[in-house]
Amino acid sequence: MKTLITLFFLLISLQMFSSPEDMYGMYDKDGKHREMTEKMEQIVVQHEQAEEKRQEKMGFILGISVLMGLVPFAYIGYMAIKERQWQTNQKGTVQALGIALLGGAVLFAFNYGLLYLRFIHTNAFYRFGPVVVGLIIIVGTIIMINKRT
């Protein structure tokens, strides 16, 4: 019985000091397991780097789109303060700022979608980008014609 207990503790102590690679080394004579684990680690690192790069691009796209969307609101707000229109026409100033904010939201959505297609889905941009630009030109032309008549 003492021999079995001694043998058991001896085997446990050997396992505590051996690494998983040493244990696999007994069965992996040609190194295929080690090669596969190294390849898997490289794939994981590449995936993490690609995800970080994608997150950076998404942050850049979001930041540019927000800045572009705030331009109309900031410009109308600046003009209202500069010309002191908010003192004489408060309701008109609030309406103008509201319309500028809505226009900025539309501009944000357009810029975000266009930049998203351009930087993230480059193939989709080349398919849908010209179609979207063409539709915008057509809609803009129709609006301009209707304003003149």
Side-chain angles (χ1 to χ4, degrees):
M1 185 68 163
K2 289 182 182 181
T3 310
L4 284 173
I5 293 173
T6 308
L7 185 62
F8 176 72
F9 282 118
L10 180 68
L11 289 174
I12 287 177
S13 66
L14 287 176
Q15 280 186 338
M16 292 172 73
F17 294 116
S18 63
S19 67
E21 287 132 6
D22 293 337
M23 292 171 44
Y24 282 121
M26 293 185 292
Y27 301 109
D28 189 28
K29 299 289 184 195
D30 55 354
K32 287 184 180 179
H33 174 72
R34 182 180 309 265
E35 181 180 323
M36 285 191 325
T37 55
E38 288 174 0
K39 202 180 266 188
M40 184 63 183
E41 289 172 359
Q42 288 175 354
I43 290 171
V44 168
V45 167
Q46 288 173 351
H47 177 71
E48 289 173 354
Q49 290 173 347
E51 187 64 28
E52 288 175 7
K53 192 174 183 181
R54 182 181 171 279
Q55 289 296 330
E56 287 176 10
K57 281 185 180 180
M58 291 301 290
F60 174 74
I61 290 170
L62 184 65
I64 292 294
S65 297
V66 166
L67 285 176
M68 293 299 290
L70 289 176
V71 166
F73 181 75
Y75 180 75
I76 290 185
Y78 171 75
M79 292 305 291
I81 292 172
K82 181 181 173 186
E83 296 177 7
R84 299 194 180 275
Q85 291 176 353
W86 56 274
Q87 290 176 341
T88 59
N89 188 5
Q90 293 176 353
K91 184 179 177 183
T93 304
V94 170
Q95 287 176 346
L97 288 173
I99 291 171
L101 196 58
L102 289 175
V106 170
L107 188 61
F108 163 78
F110 176 73
N111 283 330
Y112 186 79
L114 196 63
L115 290 173
Y116 181 77
L117 284 177
R118 174 67 178 100
F119 288 116
I120 304 299
H121 299 289
T122 55
N123 293 336
F125 174 76
Y126 291 121
R127 278 184 276 177
F128 297 118
V131 173
V132 170
V133 170
L135 288 174
I136 290 171
I137 290 171
I138 291 170
V139 169
T141 304
I142 291 171
I143 290 172
M144 295 299 267
I145 290 172
N146 286 337
K147 279 190 173 183
R148 291 185 183 211
T149 57

